Amino acid sequence: MSIIHILPEAVANKIAAGEVVERPASVVKELTENSLDADAGRVEVAVESGGKRLIRVTDDGCGMSHDDALLAFERHATSKIRSAEDLFEISTLGFRGEALPSIAAVSRLVLETRHVSEGAGTRIEFAGGRLRDVKEVAWAAGTEVEVRDLFFNTPARRKFLKSESTELGHIATLLTHYALAQPQKSFRLASLTNEILNVSPVSTHRERVYQVMGGQLLEQLVEIAPQERRMLVSAPAGYGEEAEPAEEAPIVRLSGFASRPEVQKLNRNHIYFFVNRRLVRDRLILHAITEAYRNILPAGVYPVALIFLELPATEVDVNVHPSKTEVRFRHSAFIHDFVRDSIRQALIAARPVAAFSLPRTSRSAGSGPAEDAEIAERLSEEPPLMGSAPAPQSARIEAAGRPGQAQRGSIRGADASTLPAAGAPHHSALPPNLRLSSPLPEPRTGTLPLEEAAPASYAPGAPEGGADADTLPLLAVVTSFHATCARWARSRTASSWPPTPKGCGSSTST
Ligand SMILES: Nc1ncnc2c1ncn2[C@@H]1O[C@H](COP(=O)(O)OP(=O)(O)OP(=O)(O)O)[C@@H](O)[C@H]1O
Ligand SMILES: [Mg+2]
């Protein structure tokens, strides 16, 4: 007698949904990615009860036609890829054709959308994966997806959700990531009582970091000016010849921010790495960043870093995990070294004018000015990387800690040093290029309950760390400071990157 049977479709759908939808933040992630893939310039997210009761994502993207809107809820229905070859050249955030059916399987979902080519909009209602209603509606443009009562039909899953404020913290962290990666778009996140994030379009990452993190935190970061490197890996060398970069060898671009040495974190939760504007977790890159800080940060402490890497889609495989937060690089050693060298070069270049205070938190007892002077000397002797100008002789490392600097062994103190404390004085010895040309008002403190928010784990592969406020992802903390920033942000024209997304192409059921 056969004991194997095919699972009913509803069960299979719930299993599949479990891979994609872990918590409210995963829903926000998938819907936001859809909006960005649809070339939206504005993404608005409204939540109730930390997203457990309601998540509403509205965009001004290209929208969907009536037929496409229905097809979008079929499993493996996507407009973003057509063939297996396309998997190796993915330029959109989504591509699996799984998100909408997965979310619809475990919630009460209403989608309203109108494609620019159609006169009327479409409203589709699902409950627990079942189609309840389809009708024509008047709809301005773009798409809105409303997700109510997440996991109402999988109570076991619902029980795993954390408190409302923790879930809201995850959502805030997540949306802040996307806001950082896409400065030319506007993002808004609001709960019933608070506006948590509201950023209008700006032209640079620097302005966006200011909007979401505030000026004082920005001052603790060294900007990594856009770097380019042509890959040396694709030119086959003949016998006895040295490898030459091929003409068509792909170019990799990197820019970002890395914290000054006095900023010390006890885990890697404050390191954010974006590949083609997708936030990813990657051990190789974490290693490269740690290497960049060798001899600059003591062992066991970590920096804050925001690294934006852009490379041809053929150079990176994102089809590694259903959550799409892991990648594989085709030439991982090249990427590793490029990241390491770019950060290190920026740190070295910033050193002379920054008058770094050397970190004190992890020193052995009895360390003091003599040791500081020794490390200062060692650092100033270090040759610059990647052929940059030699470090000026005037390089100076402050032997004594600055007022307010983290004290030895003070975890909270160390973290607090990176937060934009209200009314705290600006850094006195900053290089001019670290100041905004027209200083904007400091963001006001918001009311996100930080103590409850845990490290971001909106998707599998979440950062390490415990529940202590000091181990929070930095951005979950700082999102509470910027709610009013957008009023002062300057609108700029959108950049030409990324290329026109395929999210607006015709639907393809695979
Ligand atoms: N906000 C939106 N605006 C326009 N089209 C959308 C929007 N959301 C979804 N779509 C369309 O619906 C399709 C299905 O969406 P879904 O999120 O399920 O899959 P996907 O984005 O293609 O892949 P993934 O499962 O990796 O997210 C998309 O390919 C896209 O064509
Ligand atoms: Mg999607």
Side-chain angles (χ1 to χ4, degrees):
M1 189 189 79
S2 172
I3 55 167
I4 297 178
H5 53 267
I6 307 279
L7 289 173
E9 198 185 327
V11 179
N13 284 350
K14 279 186 187 169
I15 292 171
E19 284 186 331
V20 178
V21 188
E22 188 191 336
R23 62 190 334 148
S26 345
V27 174
V28 176
K29 172 183 183 288
E30 294 298 336
L31 297 181
T32 300
E33 289 189 349
N34 279 348
S35 298
L36 295 171
D37 283 344
D39 210 15
R42 175 179 54 85
V43 181
E44 292 198 8
V45 182
V47 292
E48 283 177 27
S49 306
K52 294 184 203 178
R53 188 178 302 152
L54 169 76
I55 296 165
R56 187 188 304 117
V57 177
T58 312
D59 69 53
D60 61 352
C62 61
M64 281 176 271
S65 67
H66 176 85
D67 292 350
D68 278 354
L70 278 169
L71 204 51
F73 289 93
E74 295 292 327
R75 207 157 277 288
H76 313 304
T78 181
S79 60
K80 301 171 190 176
I81 59 169
R82 279 185 176 275
S83 64
E85 289 80 58
D86 292 346
L87 280 174
F88 301 100
E89 201 173 348
I90 291 168
S91 58
T92 46
L93 294 165
F95 58 90
R96 302 171 62 95
E98 284 187 330
L100 285 182
S102 297
I103 297 167
V106 291
S107 69
R108 301 182 217 278
L109 183 149
V110 174
L111 171 127
E112 286 175 292
T113 188
R114 182 171 71 84
H115 191 261
V116 279
S117 63
E118 294 196 339
T122 305
R123 183 183 189 278
I124 298 178
E125 204 180 320
F126 274 88
R130 286 175 195 279
L131 181 63
R132 294 281 181 213
D133 190 32
V134 185
K135 62 183 175 198
E136 213 173 75
V137 288
W139 191 251
T143 303
E144 183 174 283
V145 182
E146 206 174 80
V147 176
R148 289 187 183 272
D149 306 326
L150 187 63
F151 299 135
F152 80 95
N153 55 346
T154 50
R157 195 74 190 242
R158 199 174 166 86
K159 278 191 200 131
F160 276 96
L161 296 181
K162 299 281 188 274
S163 70
E164 290 180 7
S165 54
T166 298
E167 297 299 342
L168 181 61
H170 288 304
I171 293 171
T173 304
L174 173 93
L175 215 64
T176 305
H177 293 151
Y178 285 98
L180 283 166
Q182 312 248 2
Q184 78 285 11
K185 309 208 172 204
S186 77
F187 292 83
R188 182 171 184 268
L189 169 65
S191 68
L192 274 181
T193 50
N194 276 332
E195 186 180 71
I196 297 151
L197 173 73
N198 191 348
V199 286
S200 54
V202 286
S203 55
T204 64
H205 279 126
R206 179 180 180 72
E207 289 166 285
R208 183 47 60 86
V209 170
Y210 180 89
Q211 285 179 317
V212 300
M213 291 181 165
Q216 287 175 338
L217 190 73
L218 186 58
E219 286 173 356
Q220 293 180 316
L221 301 177
V222 171
E223 185 161 8
I224 305 165
Q227 317 271 317
E228 270 188 18
R229 227 187 237 191
R230 191 177 284 279
M231 288 191 163
L232 291 169
V233 286
S234 43
Y239 182 74
E241 291 172 11
E242 288 223 341
E244 288 285 330
E247 286 263 314
E248 66 284 2
I251 290 179
V252 183
R253 295 188 175 82
L254 184 148
S255 61
F257 300 84
S259 57
R260 296 171 181 279
E262 66 262 32
V263 177
Q264 298 180 2
K265 300 292 177 186
L266 293 183
N267 54 48
R268 300 182 182 90
N269 289 350
H270 309 266
I271 295 173
Y272 300 103
F273 186 64
F274 300 84
V275 178
N276 293 346
R277 306 198 177 193
R278 179 195 304 279
L279 180 77
V280 298
R281 287 265 139 202
D282 189 85
R283 290 169 68 87
L284 174 95
I285 301 305
L286 289 175
H287 183 266
I289 294 172
T290 310
E291 283 283 291
Y293 278 87
R294 187 185 283 275
N295 296 337
I296 294 177
L297 279 186
V301 297
Y302 304 92
V304 174
L306 293 169
I307 307 296
F308 303 100
L309 194 73
E310 286 176 16
L311 70 172
T314 45
E315 287 295 317
V316 57
D317 181 5
V318 292
N319 185 26
V320 177
H321 192 279
S323 69
K324 297 165 282 185
T325 53
E326 289 172 36
V327 291
R328 274 196 214 107
F329 295 105
R330 215 167 131 216
H331 298 109
S332 51
F334 175 91
I335 299 294
H336 175 278
D337 293 356
F338 184 35
V339 171
R340 180 199 60 202
D341 295 350
S342 303
I343 297 175
R344 193 145 179 98
Q345 183 189 34
L347 290 172
I348 289 171
R351 186 184 65 222
V353 282
F356 289 152
S357 298
L358 282 170
R360 302 189 66 85
T361 42
S362 302
R363 301 268 175 79
S364 58
S367 65
E371 189 193 89
D372 287 340
E374 185 199 313
I375 297 174
E377 199 183 325
R378 203 171 67 218
L379 278 174
S380 64
E381 279 167 4
E382 189 159 342
L385 299 170
M386 291 169 65
S388 65
Q393 292 305 306
S394 59
R396 186 173 70 87
I397 309 286
E398 282 182 2
R402 281 191 294 120
Q405 185 183 352
Q407 294 306 300
R408 186 180 306 144
S410 162
I411 301 169
R412 284 187 177 275
D415 257 32
S417 70
T418 67
L419 297 178
H426 282 228
H427 197 301
S428 55
L430 286 168
N433 69 342
L434 264 177
R435 294 199 183 282
L436 288 173
S437 49
S438 58
L440 307 177
E442 285 297 314
R444 281 208 307 266
T445 303
T447 53
L448 188 66
L450 304 176
E451 283 70 25
E452 278 219 60
S457 59
Y458 49 84
E464 62 198 52
D468 188 280
D470 293 316
T471 65
L472 291 174
L474 173 68
L475 300 181
V477 177
V478 297
T479 45
S480 63
F481 291 89
H482 57 63
T484 56
C485 253
R487 288 180 211 141
W488 297 287
R490 289 158 287 173
S491 294
R492 299 285 166 86
T493 50
S495 76
S496 60
W497 204 99
T500 309
K502 295 177 193 164
C504 295
S506 58
S507 291
T508 308
S509 192
T510 53

